[in-house]
Amino acid sequence: MTVRTRFAPSPTGMLHIGGVRTALFCWLYARRHHGTFILRIEDTDRERSTPAAVQVILDGMDWLGLHPDEGPYYQTARYPRYREVIRQWLDEGKAYHCYCTKEELEAMRAAQLAAKAKPRYDGRCRERREPRPGVTPVVRFRNPADGEVVVADRVHGDVVFDNAELDDLIIERSDGNPTYNFCVVVDDFDLRITHVIRGDDHLNNTPRQINMLRALGVEPPVYAHLPMILGPDGTKLSKRHGAVSVLHYREQGYLPEALLNYLARLGWSHGDQEIFSLAEMCQLFDLDHVNKAASAINPDKLAWISQQHLMHAPPARVAAEFAWQLGRLGMDVASGPALEPIVLAQRERARTLREMAENSRYFFRAPEAYDEKAARKHLTAEAVPLLNGIHTALAALADWNAPAIHAAIEQLAASTGVGLGKVAQPLRVAVSGGGVSPPIDQTLAIVGRDGTLGRIGRAVTWIGAQAAQSAGS
RNA sequence: GCUCCCAUCGUCUAGAGGCCCAGGACACAGCCCUCUCAAGGCUGGUACGAGGGUUCGAAUCCCUCUGGGAGCGCCA
């Protein structure tokens, strides 16, 4: 039997990190077993589901590369099928009409809570034959009254529930719409889902779903309930703490495979390995090494993993996302230097593509001002002869490339009897505007000869102006 | 309140009775490398929630407690 997994988000909010992790594990499991990954949109909540939310889910999955093999299926498109099952269950006595009003139900709940009992429907309409005038009924599933249900969970082991704890849940509302737990069961059955991988907030729903599956005449699929993901502070994910749309991570400059790598390690492990390519994850993922305990997001580690991927991904691939980030900063990529050399020069000093872009501005535009501290330290009167000297040497270079530039700088340093840093730092500030950049030869190679010579000249002029100003004041 | 789940360094985790006076990773500190910043290398500190068992032996098995979390909707 081929593996069939599904990711079933409800389009009522955004697709955040928790949902993505669930989707990832479903996708990974399907890939690992050469199975089918299905996307199903659970939009039976007509009030809160929106097309925009559906689009956000689709866009997010697309950016991440978690493409479904089947679907998306929409529950709202399957209403006739749900009605059919409900009719059948009504005929077979597996479901019944309940004429209790919302007020009655509320009173019941209040009384039970007051008696320190678990609030649940008491089954008072179970044997009712006659309709009740003026009340549009709901349909309830007739849950077995006794015995127990065992959820054979791949991450938690066997979890046993008493049927006595379960009440008869509503499967069709009085407005005729089916409800979530019921739709899930019918869909998982119709779609022949073999492995239900989802958040463990659904563990408590599972025994009811198993009972309904059995009413349908099938044995349940394999279940795997994943632990929750918590915010950096160890509390539930909220808007304040990490519950942001996945696309936000793109804006922050993360490579999708880096995000996915991080998420895979949140709750799953393969010995001591931390860095995984997509292919490795697909090959190694299993349910046996999924953790049972909830885990907190650690932004520092995400950033580190991001950098690892930046350093090891093909430069051409990084360059594509890098271009997008530069564009966001208003850089004119088309008329600037080639991107791949910049990626190569910058990737070990940037944790995200966004950082890389912010640190690469001077490759596209001459600095408008010098970093104050760096200028005070390096753009000094002592630096002027050095800058003039290197200007001359660089202007005379036959070939403009890093080794040649490096040789020129070394030669100047040697002939003037100073260390390499004495030449490199003023040069770095002159060209980049600050005290930090890739190795100076690489930096100059990318900036280009014209740009470099111009910026050196401007720095010398600036030093002169500073001197004149302080002399005059 | 009831039912269910969970519990190893600050964080992510390895660990399926002896290999563990607990290993890796992030973060942190120091050193090395070095034209800056990084990257990289080396070194260091910090953890089995508590109490009872079982066993020759327990982070690993059992019980209780404590602490977290989830569910208990005509929400999904």
Side-chain angles (χ1 to χ4, degrees):
Chain A
M1 187 166 64
T2 81
V3 165
R4 291 171 65 82
T5 63
R6 88 306 197 271
F7 175 53
S10 68
T12 50
M14 59 185 139
L15 178 58
H16 62 68
I17 223 71
V20 172
R21 207 269 308 258
T22 302
L24 172 65
F25 282 22
C26 291
W27 181 81
L28 247 21
Y29 194 77
R31 291 287 76 85
R32 169 76 172 76
H33 295 92
H34 308 291
T36 305
F37 170 61
I38 297 160
L39 176 61
R40 183 172 79 217
I41 306 294
E42 313 233 317
D43 53 356
T44 52
D45 185 348
R46 298 256 166 129
E47 318 248 304
R48 297 194 300 154
S49 298
T50 65
V54 172
Q55 197 53 49
V56 167
I57 291 169
L58 264 22
D59 289 347
M61 303 273 292
D62 196 55
W63 174 64
L64 291 164
L66 302 181
H67 307 297
D69 301 304
E70 262 183 44
Y73 293 105
Y74 293 85
Q75 290 188 324
T76 44
R78 291 175 39 78
Y79 278 23
R81 170 58 177 151
Y82 302 138
R83 292 221 170 84
E84 177 188 319
V85 174
I86 288 170
R87 283 287 84 81
Q88 189 189 330
W89 281 1
L90 247 13
D91 289 345
E92 296 171 351
K94 290 173 176 168
Y96 61 91
H97 288 291
C98 168
Y99 290 86
C100 294
T101 64
K102 291 186 183 181
E103 292 70 33
E104 285 175 305
L105 260 19
E106 265 166 44
M108 190 190 303
R109 204 185 331 277
Q112 286 161 334
L113 246 16
K116 294 180 188 292
K118 185 178 188 168
R120 51 207 288 279
Y121 180 63
D122 65 6
R124 60 179 66 169
C125 288
R126 271 196 157 205
E127 307 308 328
R128 174 187 284 277
R129 289 274 93 88
E130 298 305 310
R132 193 162 150 192
V135 179
T136 316
V138 298
V139 177
R140 286 185 187 270
F141 174 69
R142 194 185 297 274
N143 195 78
D146 42 40
E148 49 189 31
V149 187
V150 178
V151 179
D153 193 278
R154 283 295 300 276
V155 351
H156 293 275
D158 285 358
V159 183
V160 184
F161 292 86
D162 244 313
N163 269 324
E165 291 294 334
L166 275 23
D167 62 357
D168 295 344
L169 82 166
I170 291 171
I171 56 178
E172 187 182 278
R173 303 181 174 96
S174 51
D175 65 3
N177 286 318
T179 58
Y180 166 75
N181 274 106
F182 169 71
C183 295
V184 166
V185 166
V186 176
D187 290 342
D188 286 344
F189 169 65
D190 286 350
L191 295 173
R192 307 187 318 282
I193 300 301
T194 59
H195 298 255
V196 172
I197 301 170
R198 67 212 328 182
D200 67 11
D201 48 335
H202 289 285
L203 186 52
N204 286 301
N205 289 329
T206 309
R208 301 165 176 290
Q209 293 182 6
I210 288 177
N211 283 335
M212 287 193 278
L213 243 8
R214 295 212 163 111
L216 241 24
V218 287
E219 279 305 293
V222 172
Y223 290 100
H225 287 96
L226 311 175
M228 302 275 90
I229 291 182
L230 310 173
D233 59 351
T235 64
K236 194 177 169 181
L237 222 45
S238 67
K239 313 100 236 155
R240 299 197 76 82
H241 291 118
V244 292
S245 164
V246 257
L247 293 175
H248 179 72
Y249 287 89
R250 181 183 191 203
E251 289 166 15
Q252 291 304 305
Y254 294 98
L255 247 22
E257 60 266 41
L259 215 214
L260 260 18
N261 183 164
Y262 176 70
L263 256 17
R265 283 290 290 106
L266 219 46
W268 175 75
S269 61
H270 181 70
D272 287 336
Q273 188 171 348
E274 299 285 353
I275 303 301
F276 296 84
S277 69
L278 241 27
E280 281 178 304
M281 285 190 251
C282 291
Q283 196 178 349
L284 299 169
F285 183 77
D286 60 21
L287 260 14
D288 300 324
H289 294 85
V290 172
N291 215 87
K292 288 191 279 204
S295 40
I297 292 178
N298 182 341
D300 283 329
K301 185 153 181 183
L302 203 211
W304 176 75
I305 286 182
S306 169
Q307 180 168 43
Q308 294 300 312
H309 280 267
L310 249 23
M311 290 191 297
H312 300 297
R317 149 145 190 70
V318 177
E321 284 282 324
F322 181 49
W324 185 75
Q325 288 288 344
L326 286 167
R328 283 166 55 83
L329 291 181
M331 298 296 123
D332 182 6
V333 176
S335 68
L339 261 28
E340 283 188 43
I342 302 180
V343 169
L344 257 14
Q346 293 281 48
R347 62 185 181 180
E348 63 236 24
R349 60 205 99 230
R351 312 214 295 175
T352 65
L353 288 156
R354 183 168 171 167
E355 239 179 71
M356 190 185 284
E358 282 165 352
N359 296 339
S360 296
R361 293 180 135 102
Y362 54 82
F363 289 127
F364 298 86
R365 291 181 193 168
E368 284 162 19
Y370 300 113
D371 173 76
E372 206 182 310
K373 242 181 88 182
R376 201 183 321 127
K377 187 161 183 199
H378 302 294
L379 294 187
T380 60
E382 291 84 340
V384 172
L386 259 10
L387 285 170
N388 283 331
I390 198 63
H391 185 284
T392 306
L394 292 176
L397 237 40
D399 297 308
W400 189 259
N401 55 47
I405 294 166
H406 188 79
I409 294 172
E410 253 185 349
Q411 199 176 16
L412 179 76
S415 67
T416 52
V418 301
L420 207 53
K422 285 285 181 207
V423 183
Q425 277 310 88
L427 197 45
R428 172 170 280 118
V429 180
V431 170
S432 74
V436 175
S437 89
I440 195 65
D441 49 354
Q442 287 180 41
T443 302
L444 300 194
I446 295 169
V447 168
R449 193 194 309 250
D450 290 349
T452 298
L453 297 181
R455 292 180 198 185
I456 293 172
R458 222 165 307 148
V460 170
T461 306
W462 184 87
I463 294 171
Q466 289 295 109
Q469 197 179 46
S470 59
S473 64

